Amino acid sequence: MSRYPFEFFNDIGREQSADRVRFVLRAVIEPMAAKRHCASLRNISRDHCMLRKAVPSDLLALKAVRSSVVENILSDPTKVTDDDYDLYVANPGVAVWEENGEVVGFSAADPRNGNIWALFVVPGFERNGIGSILLAEACACLKSAGIGRAWLTTDRNTRAERFYRAAGWEHVGEKDNELLFERSL
């Protein structure tokens, strides 16, 4: 059994996998353990939780997670199309978190431009470290693509804004009426 309660993508080489594990440990697990913010993460059994790469059959689950959130709600759901999801799933940037076989969170990173396109966790599963793990995985995806600085946008005065600030993201301006954050990888 692994020392840590999640699995990493199986379709990457051993050296790349080891680099990803070290990055996630350094960026997420060690700071969380030091701050004791995520005691529940240590209690998650590998038997019922998994971090994995999204597959095309996850499309409905990704859309369900996206539509379940209570903040950062899409004002116009037609702005995010099935083609958008398909593009990200077909490329290496979408990670999903499963609990008991159900997708309860996902992140999507765009290795073409360094954008973290999505990070969502189903209400009721928040504040358990899942978002931090998914964010670290998105950053690892970008870093492995040669991106040195990631960026994302979010609504102001939300838990997401506080989450990104606490994770060390820097507010650098605005884009499309949302806060623009950046962070070196």
Side-chain angles (χ1 to χ4, degrees), residues 105-130:
F106 77 96
S107 63
D110 190 338
R112 299 170 300 176
N113 64 10
N115 174 239
I116 299 199
W117 181 72
L119 175 59
F120 297 102
V121 177
V122 171
F125 290 89
E126 299 159 318
R127 303 191 62 80
N128 288 312
I130 297 168

Side-chain angles (χ1 to χ4, degrees), residues 9-73:
F9 301 155
N10 294 323
D11 60 342
I12 56 180
R14 182 179 298 273
E15 183 176 317
Q16 203 176 8
S17 179
D19 288 343
R20 182 165 286 170
V21 169
R22 281 191 291 277
F23 178 84
V24 172
L25 290 175
R26 189 177 68 248
V28 178
I29 304 302
E30 290 169 3
M32 286 175 12
K35 293 179 183 178
R36 297 181 186 185
H37 279 198
C38 193
S40 62
L41 186 61
R42 290 186 293 274
N43 296 329
I44 295 174
S45 164
R46 182 178 171 153
D47 293 336
H48 69 275
C49 299
M50 179 174 33
L51 175 69
R52 66 171 175 80
K53 185 178 191 258
V55 294
S57 62
D58 289 324
L59 179 62
L60 291 177
L62 299 177
K63 292 169 79 172
V65 169
R66 176 66 181 97
S67 64
S68 74
V69 299
V70 295
E71 291 186 337
N72 292 323
I73 298 169

Side-chain angles (χ1 to χ4, degrees), residues 83-182:
D83 288 342
D84 293 324
Y85 285 102
D86 289 341
L87 172 73
Y88 287 101
V89 169
N91 292 291
V94 181
V96 298
W97 183 267
E98 279 188 3
E99 292 217 6
N100 297 315
E102 290 189 42
V103 175
V104 298
F106 77 96
S107 63
D110 190 338
R112 299 170 300 176
N113 64 10
N115 174 239
I116 299 199
W117 181 72
L119 175 59
F120 297 102
V121 177
V122 171
F125 290 89
E126 299 159 318
R127 303 191 62 80
N128 288 312
I130 297 168
S132 296
I133 292 168
L134 289 167
L135 179 60
E137 184 57 37
C139 290
C141 172
L142 295 176
K143 187 173 181 176
S144 70
I147 302 291
R149 191 155 179 90
W151 65 276
L152 58 84
T153 61
T154 194
D155 290 338
R156 54 176 83 252
N157 301 319
T158 60
R159 288 176 297 157
E161 176 189 354
R162 293 186 295 278
F163 171 78
Y164 294 124
R165 287 183 189 276
W169 289 72
E170 178 185 358
H171 175 226
V172 296
E174 290 192 16
K175 180 176 173 52
D176 301 326
N177 295 319
E178 293 185 320
L179 299 176
L180 175 62
F181 285 90
E182 292 184 355

